[in-house]
Amino acid sequence: MSIVDNAVYRDGQRVASPATLEETYRLLARLRAEDPRCADPEGHCVLAWIGLHSPSEEELDSLARHFGLHELAMEDVRQAEQRPKLDRYGRTLFTVLRPAVYQDATETVDFGEIHVFTGPDFVITVRRSEHGRVGRVRARVEAEPRLLATGPEAVLYAVLDQTVDDYYPVVQGLENDIDEISDALFSGSGDGLVSQRIYQLTREVSAFHRAVAPLEMELRQFLEELDGADLELRHGLRDVLDHLIYVNNKVEAFQSSLTNALMLDSSQLAARQNEAAIEQNEQMKRISSWAAILFAPSIIGSVYGMNFRFMPELSWVWGYPMALALMLVTGVVLYVVFRLKRWL
């Protein structure tokens, strides 16, 4: 069995902890039959909260049959990897949340997924990962019987609140990473590793944005549906929405900062390449200059190395000194010219 925790509540107090789903169904039906308040469709007399972790197909089918869960919602649960959303199917609300955890060791963000079904007298939470802290949420709401007595929406509020609160350490971790990148760029120590880190961090922020951004609009619509519900519950949900807006704004600011950092890194890379090209060009000038200085005497020497019979300078007494002097003068002239042009 994949049941993590299973409880039935009455007036906000846990009255039983069934070991199986079938026992939960029977107990819930008996308590509803015994309590006259349950005759009111809008009343909250008893509540079953079933917490599952990676349930089997048989368990999902059993829940769908007993609580009348919509087949499209069940398809989303089976496939997982869904975007955050709140979908209404009759009197049942299907919620998908993407909790996030910042890993300090790898400087990455890990994402989980929680599916929550809230109906008239039941809450079903399905987790596909270790992230989500649903156990902490249950302990919190059980410590506030008045909140839990308001109905399934109170449980959903607590799950939403915990999920959004867990976004704050992720925001802090990403902000520290971006600050480190900015320091590296402005200190002039940017290199290929910084570029790679910017790309990796951009992917992390984009994934975080996909986990946060859709939830804001969905939560606004949910608040409109709860018009007239318990006042404290609506106050709590508005507080969650405020926190979610803050997180979403921070994530959008991170995206802008990373875009600017990527542009700055590209500019610095282009500048470094230009500097390398200029330095290479200067080296080529020096090499070319010395090659020209050495090449001119070689031409003069090659002329007098020809084996012609009639060359007047060969019989001239000053022919040899003149050739050496011509070589020297040519080299000196070329050296002076290249120095004036700042090639040497």
Side-chain angles (χ1 to χ4, degrees):
M1 296 292 290
S2 60
I3 297 178
V4 178
D5 198 352
N6 185 16
V8 177
Y9 302 89
R10 181 164 54 190
D11 297 327
Q13 299 287 345
R14 183 191 284 239
V15 295
S17 300
T20 64
L21 295 178
E22 289 72 18
E23 186 179 346
T24 304
Y25 305 153
R26 292 193 297 269
L27 179 60
L28 187 62
R30 179 171 63 82
L31 292 176
R32 289 187 63 85
E34 294 175 353
D35 195 331
R37 295 174 301 170
C38 296
D40 182 5
E42 301 300 327
H44 302 296
C45 53
V46 293
L47 172 67
W49 182 357
I50 304 171
L52 303 173
H53 183 278
S54 300
S56 65
E57 291 293 326
E58 293 75 12
E59 291 171 323
L60 292 176
D61 290 340
S62 175
L63 291 168
R65 286 193 303 270
H66 184 81
F67 292 111
L69 305 181
H70 198 278
E71 60 181 8
L72 293 179
M74 297 307 298
E75 182 180 345
D76 288 343
V77 173
R78 290 185 173 92
Q79 292 180 350
E81 296 298 327
Q82 302 294 316
R83 68 172 183 85
K85 59 183 177 180
L86 285 85
D87 288 343
R88 174 70 67 179
Y89 297 98
R91 299 188 65 191
T92 301
L93 180 66
F94 174 59
T95 304
V96 179
L97 301 175
R98 299 298 305 275
V101 175
Y102 182 81
Q103 302 292 349
D104 290 315
T106 58
E107 295 186 340
T108 57
V109 182
D110 288 346
F111 296 93
E113 189 166 351
I114 302 177
H115 299 161
V116 184
F117 290 94
T118 49
D121 56 1
F122 67 90
V123 175
I124 302 170
T125 55
V126 180
R127 288 189 294 127
R128 294 292 184 180
S129 68
E130 297 301 324
H131 308 314
R133 303 189 183 185
V134 179
R136 177 180 295 185
V137 174
R138 190 185 289 266
R140 171 188 170 185
V141 297
E142 287 184 350
E144 302 180 45
R146 182 194 172 282
L147 175 65
L148 188 56
T150 60
E153 290 80 7
V155 177
L156 179 58
Y157 151 70
V159 175
L160 284 166
D161 190 42
Q162 183 65 57
T163 301
V164 174
D165 284 347
D166 288 342
Y167 287 156
Y168 276 74
V170 179
V171 169
Q172 185 63 45
L174 292 174
E175 191 168 33
N176 290 338
D177 291 343
I178 293 174
D179 288 342
E180 291 174 1
I181 288 175
S182 299
D183 292 341
L185 289 174
F186 286 108
S187 65
S189 59
D191 52 21
L193 294 178
V194 173
S195 301
Q196 182 180 358
R197 182 60 182 138
I198 293 175
Y199 279 112
Q200 292 174 345
L201 196 55
T202 299
R203 293 181 59 185
E204 298 288 339
V205 172
S206 297
F208 190 36
H209 185 257
R210 290 193 295 270
V212 174
L215 191 57
E216 179 180 337
M217 181 182 66
E218 300 285 352
L219 189 52
R220 290 182 187 275
Q221 294 178 351
F222 182 53
L223 271 168
E224 293 177 359
E225 292 181 11
L226 290 180
D227 187 27
D230 183 78
L231 183 60
E232 289 301 319
L233 176 61
R234 284 185 286 133
H235 285 333
L237 285 170
R238 287 196 185 94
D239 184 63
V240 173
L241 179 59
D242 289 341
H243 292 173
L244 188 61
I245 292 173
Y246 169 80
V247 172
N248 197 25
N249 290 340
K250 292 290 288 185
V251 174
E252 291 176 352
F254 291 163
Q255 290 180 314
S256 178
S257 297
L258 287 171
T259 300
N260 294 334
L262 189 59
M263 293 176 62
L264 177 59
D265 183 65
S266 300
S267 299
Q268 290 182 342
L269 178 60
R272 290 194 295 269
Q273 291 175 340
N274 289 336
E275 291 175 359
I278 292 172
E279 179 62 25
Q280 185 178 20
N281 188 42
E282 292 297 323
Q283 294 295 335
M284 288 301 299
K285 287 181 181 179
R286 295 188 182 94
I287 294 173
S288 301
S289 299
W290 284 112
I293 292 171
L294 296 175
F295 184 62
S298 300
I299 293 178
I300 297 173
S302 65
V303 171
Y304 291 100
M306 298 178 183
N307 295 320
F308 293 118
R309 295 182 59 188
F310 301 103
M311 293 184 69
E313 293 85 356
L314 294 179
S315 58
W316 184 32
V317 176
W318 297 99
Y320 179 69
M322 185 218 47
L324 292 179
L326 185 59
M327 293 179 187
L328 179 61
V329 169
T330 304
V332 170
V333 170
L334 289 175
Y335 178 81
V336 172
V337 170
F338 291 138
R339 286 287 292 180
L340 292 175
K341 290 181 173 293
R342 297 184 179 179
W343 283 28
L344 291 175

